[in-house]
Amino acid sequence: MFTMTPQGRAGLAVALALTGAMAAGQADAQHGGPSTEPEPPAEGAPAAPAPPTLRRAAFADLPGWASDAHAEILPALQASCGAMRPMRPEAPLGGEGEAALRAGTAGAWMAICLELRTLERGLPRPPRPGQGVAHQRRMAAWMAARHMAVREFIEARFEPFAAGTGIMTGYYEPILRGATAPDEVFRTPLLARPPELVEQPAPGNPLRRRYGMMVEGRLEPFHDRAAIDGGALAGRGLELVWVDDPADAFFLHIQGSGRVVLPDGQLVRVGYAGQNGRGYVPVGRLLIERGEIPRERMSMQAIRAWIAEAGHERATELLRANPSFVFFRKVEELTPEQGPIGAMGVPLTPQRSVAVDRAHIPLGAPMFVTVRDPAAPRDAPRAGRLVVAQDTGGAIRGPARTDFFWGWGAEAGERAGRMRDEAAVFVLLPRPIEVTTAEAN
């Protein structure tokens, strides 16, 4: 029976890719919010015409650039540098045109990463602990000095390029209730990747992956969701954990990773390990087309409410209308304070990591985007925010299409589930070496 637990309503999720697999080409989880747009083209379909080249911009063109807390981006940037250091210099990070030339390989970032270390060592030290108004002023002055130092570094070492305006959705990491063995409550399994599931580069685009099974020497789509739900993989010991809400499991598939709390309080982290090769069909779009939910009211929360009221038969039919199915792996290298691993192989930073289409935007590139808080009034102004491209998603296609990582917990889930807005997107690319040298002189 489909029920909505409090944990399910606050459920979180994030697209997780296998750590260390980025240089070989990264598969996509499906996150991207309760999209009303068409599903992405099937793997192997002809590539769409190339979008316009990124346009040079100035930092003065970035709305809200001076108001951001620039130093907050440092942990995410350092995490990206940590992922790049062991890579081969020619390891591809993605991007096209100018983005690929300046930031499309790991080697292009080595000088910047070394300078980031020097920058952090030279940042002002915090004032001694204290109390009162005077101490608060010292703290404010210290933070302002840090932000200004990072801002000046970025302006000197990077050049902004306008990627255009595109849809920004939100994603997050769900918390589910589960058990290591099935019973009357915990009946929905999260499955490990079957050994016969094959992964190959997509034709014409090695940065994207496709999945399936080999049939007479050809890669064919794997079993669809209905077949797997019906027992196509039963009895093979692929069950990692069992959860109490099939709707929660479905949204976990869309987002890609999550946390499962066992009855004894133990926490199991699961992450994306592969997909069945079937096209992703947004159930939100189906509900709009069927007249079940008005387009202007569409959100993850609206979909969950419909599932809770629809009854088992109708809810099952809706969820199985999305034939895509995601497989998971246990993630044991993270602490509870860390975000899930993104496609770049590093933990995501709440409100500073975004998912992009790496066919256009290199992973690891800093970006500047305009963000409207979904919890704020609709007439609230957007805020400019420095972020880092550290993840990908199956529904994230195009140079200005982004997915904003909110974190984990009920508040993050509420914001991510309601986020769907237009955002101005700028990519910050390293300045050519000769320009940087001239500035330094």
Side-chain angles (χ1 to χ4, degrees):
M1 179 177 180
F2 284 81
T3 58
M4 291 298 295
T5 66
Q7 292 82 356
R9 285 190 292 268
L12 319 171
V14 70
L16 172 75
L18 296 175
T19 304
M22 187 188 65
Q26 185 61 56
D28 292 334
Q30 302 168 72
H31 62 82
S35 177
T36 59
E37 61 201 59
E39 63 268 27
E43 296 290 3
T53 306
L54 297 174
R55 295 180 292 103
R56 272 188 172 84
F59 281 99
D61 299 329
L62 278 54
W65 169 251
S67 303
D68 194 21
H70 299 81
E72 292 181 5
I73 201 64
L74 285 177
L77 286 175
Q78 289 289 26
S80 292
C81 285
M84 295 178 197
R85 286 187 191 105
M87 293 181 186
R88 305 183 316 277
E90 68 275 13
L93 300 175
E96 64 170 0
E98 192 80 13
L101 288 173
R102 296 198 189 192
T105 63
W109 288 93
M110 290 303 98
I112 291 286
C113 289
L114 287 174
E115 291 177 343
L116 272 172
R117 285 181 171 180
T118 303
L119 170 70
E120 284 205 304
R121 288 196 294 265
L123 288 176
R125 295 184 179 275
R128 293 179 179 179
Q131 296 179 346
V133 175
H135 176 70
Q136 293 176 4
R137 288 174 178 168
R138 288 192 294 270
M139 288 293 295
W142 167 67
M143 289 302 302
R146 283 175 55 88
H147 295 321
M148 181 55 68
V150 175
R151 173 184 169 180
E152 290 175 348
F153 172 86
I154 292 175
E155 289 178 351
R157 299 297 184 265
F158 292 89
E159 183 178 5
F161 286 77
T165 299
I167 293 297
M168 173 182 283
T169 46
Y171 70 116
Y172 58 111
E173 187 184 15
I175 299 174
L176 297 80
R177 294 195 310 164
T180 56
D183 60 20
E184 293 184 357
V185 174
F186 302 105
R187 297 185 294 178
T188 302
L190 304 181
L191 300 182
R193 177 175 170 171
E196 68 271 25
L197 184 65
V198 177
E199 176 184 0
Q200 293 181 351
N205 191 342
L207 295 179
R208 291 181 181 158
R209 315 298 287 174
R210 61 175 185 163
Y211 289 91
M213 56 184 172
M214 299 305 297
V215 178
E216 297 181 352
R218 295 189 308 171
L219 188 69
E220 299 288 347
F222 201 67
H223 305 295
D224 65 13
R225 176 178 296 275
I228 295 172
D229 285 349
L233 301 178
R236 298 180 53 183
L238 297 175
E239 298 85 0
L240 295 174
V241 67
W242 303 76
V243 299
D244 64 346
D245 191 332
D248 283 353
F250 179 83
F251 282 101
L252 177 64
H253 280 228
I254 293 175
Q255 304 281 3
S257 70
R259 307 178 184 211
V260 181
V261 180
L262 303 182
D264 62 0
Q266 181 181 350
L267 183 67
V268 176
R269 307 274 301 258
V270 295
Y272 183 88
Q275 190 256 1
N276 64 344
R278 303 278 179 171
Y280 170 60
V281 176
V283 297
R285 190 194 67 196
L286 296 180
L287 290 172
I288 291 173
E289 292 174 350
R290 298 172 183 179
E292 299 283 355
I293 300 176
R295 182 179 298 272
E296 64 273 12
R297 289 183 47 227
M298 177 53 62
S299 68
M300 186 188 68
Q301 288 82 351
I303 298 173
R304 284 185 174 277
W306 186 92
I307 290 173
E309 297 173 359
H312 175 77
E313 187 172 328
R314 294 180 70 205
T316 298
E317 183 277 328
L318 174 72
L319 300 188
R320 290 183 176 178
N322 174 22
S324 177
F325 192 95
V326 168
F327 301 99
F328 298 93
R329 68 181 182 101
K330 288 187 178 180
V331 180
E332 299 177 344
E333 63 268 25
L334 298 175
T335 68
E337 293 74 29
Q338 290 180 303
I341 304 293
M344 197 164 187
V346 299
L348 301 176
T349 302
Q351 301 186 44
R352 294 292 176 178
S353 296
V354 294
V356 299
D357 183 352
R358 65 180 299 207
H360 303 285
I361 307 298
L363 290 179
M367 304 172 67
F368 193 78
V369 297
T370 55
V371 179
R372 177 181 282 122
D373 187 344
R378 286 299 299 173
D379 58 353
R382 294 180 175 89
R385 183 171 290 266
L386 262 173
V387 294
V388 182
Q390 293 181 316
D391 206 1
T392 58
I396 311 304
R397 293 289 184 260
R401 177 70 167 94
T402 53
D403 213 11
F404 188 83
F405 178 62
W406 281 100
W408 52 95
E411 185 176 344
E414 180 68 18
R415 280 172 162 80
R418 297 187 184 281
M419 188 178 200
R420 181 177 177 82
D421 205 355
E422 285 198 345
V425 177
F426 299 84
V427 185
L428 309 185
L429 301 178
R431 294 185 186 273
I433 294 297
E434 61 271 19
V435 175
T436 302
T437 303
E439 288 178 348
N441 291 333

